[in-house]
Amino acid sequence: MFVHNTLIHRLKRGCETMAYPKGPPPPLPDRHGGSLKADATKCADGCTACVPVCPTQAITREPGKAMALDLGRCVFCAACVDVCPQDAIIQTGDYRMAVRHREDLVLGDPGKEELRLAKSLDEKLRKLFGRSLRLRQVSAGGCNACEADTNVLGTIGWDLGRFGIQFVASPRHADGLFITGPVSKGMELALKKTYDAVPDPKIVIATGACAIAGGPFVGHPQINNGADSIVPVDLYIPGCPPHPLTILDGLLRLLDRLEEKNSSQAA
């Protein structure tokens, strides 16, 4: 009787997996400010109000030069948004933040007010990984926040497996690495060995501010300020931590699995 009632209850609930990316993305919480937009042309001459409030030195402004905002270092605390008198830095509410090149995360110069979102892998790699991608996750000294949001993708609501993307236990069974954490000195050798154990060709994804640039630990002598100082990185997903939707968007963008009419809708 118990099994019968459970099955009836489950059937009444229907499919709980979200329609995205074929449908609209799920709504984000109000407190999620999304990606930032930086327009250095709005900066007042000599104004550096945003520089000292940034906890990770993600904002710089040298004399005679434009303000620069590094979303790779950013922890999205929005302190710079609150303090800027000219609204040169604003929150966009856009969950899409993944890029292919580290320099694309630096905003501020004319023409670079917003992110240049990631393009997909080349045709050869898309044919190889596009339908089935196995990733070995490496937690390289992080706080477990990025790992927690990544785990959400395995729940019934998100169902990462429907895209053929899975996390595996061994690097020898993987197509690439999914790295979180700032790569502490204690994890440096482990990351190198894990990377070497993944068969060629392989891809590497750096997820979160720590894995991209060291996050709140940037400059500490016991970390490497991000994964790309140890291994080559093919995709950067900013955030502290990135929202599961930001992570999923980055993965699907890399594999060219997005329908742009839906992915362009910011929550």
Side-chain angles (χ1 to χ4, degrees):
M1 179 63 71
F2 175 77
V3 173
H4 173 75
N5 290 340
T6 300
L7 291 175
I8 294 297
H9 176 69
R10 183 67 189 88
L11 288 172
K12 287 182 178 180
R13 293 178 66 177
C15 179
E16 296 189 33
T17 302
M18 66 184 66
Y20 176 84
K22 292 185 177 181
L28 297 179
D30 292 339
R31 64 183 180 274
H32 188 285
S35 183
L36 298 179
K37 180 178 179 180
D39 186 353
T41 62
K42 292 184 178 181
C43 288
D45 290 341
C47 178
T48 58
C50 58
V51 176
V53 301
C54 181
T56 57
Q57 298 83 53
I59 306 175
T60 57
R61 187 173 191 189
E62 300 178 12
K65 294 185 178 180
M67 171 265 295
L69 169 60
D70 186 350
L71 290 188
R73 284 193 175 198
C74 182
V75 294
F76 298 88
C77 65
C80 58
V81 176
D82 295 336
V83 78
C84 179
Q86 307 295 331
D87 293 330
I89 303 175
I90 61 173
Q91 293 175 307
T92 67
D94 195 341
Y95 61 86
R96 301 169 303 159
M97 287 189 254
V99 301
R100 291 293 306 276
H101 306 289
R102 179 68 180 89
E103 59 270 21
D104 287 340
L105 290 171
V106 181
L107 308 179
D109 288 336
K112 283 197 66 178
E113 293 86 10
E114 297 180 274
L115 289 174
R116 297 169 181 168
L117 296 175
K119 294 183 178 181
S120 62
L121 295 167
D122 62 47
E123 184 178 358
K124 181 178 180 181
L125 289 179
R126 285 203 310 273
K127 287 183 178 180
L128 190 61
F129 299 138
R131 294 178 62 85
S132 177
L133 179 66
R134 304 292 186 264
L135 297 171
R136 175 67 171 99
Q137 199 272 327
V138 179
S139 180
C143 70
N144 205 43
C146 292
E147 293 85 343
D149 273 9
T150 302
N151 288 343
V152 170
L153 296 176
T155 63
I156 191 172
W158 296 82
D159 191 14
L160 185 64
R162 63 192 162 121
F163 305 108
I165 305 172
Q166 294 181 340
F167 290 94
V168 296
S170 170
R172 300 190 186 280
H173 300 158
D175 302 308
L177 299 183
F178 186 93
I179 304 171
T180 57
V183 190
S184 64
K185 294 296 184 182
M187 281 297 298
E188 181 177 342
L189 180 59
L191 177 58
K192 289 179 179 178
K193 287 187 174 182
T194 305
Y195 176 80
D196 291 340
V198 178
D200 291 324
K202 49 196 166 189
I203 61 176
V204 176
I205 301 166
T207 303
C210 287
I212 295 174
F217 311 104
V218 62
H220 193 283
Q222 289 302 313
I223 70 163
N224 286 281
N225 290 340
D228 60 7
S229 63
I230 307 299
V231 294
V233 173
D234 300 285
L235 183 70
Y236 298 86
I237 306 177
C240 188
H243 191 278
L245 185 56
T246 301
I247 299 173
L248 180 58
D249 173 81
L251 294 174
L252 297 183
R253 199 169 290 279
L254 189 69
L255 300 177
D256 197 23
R257 298 286 297 278
L258 283 175
E259 297 185 21
E260 287 299 326
K261 64 179 182 295
N262 292 320
S263 66
S264 63
Q265 300 172 8

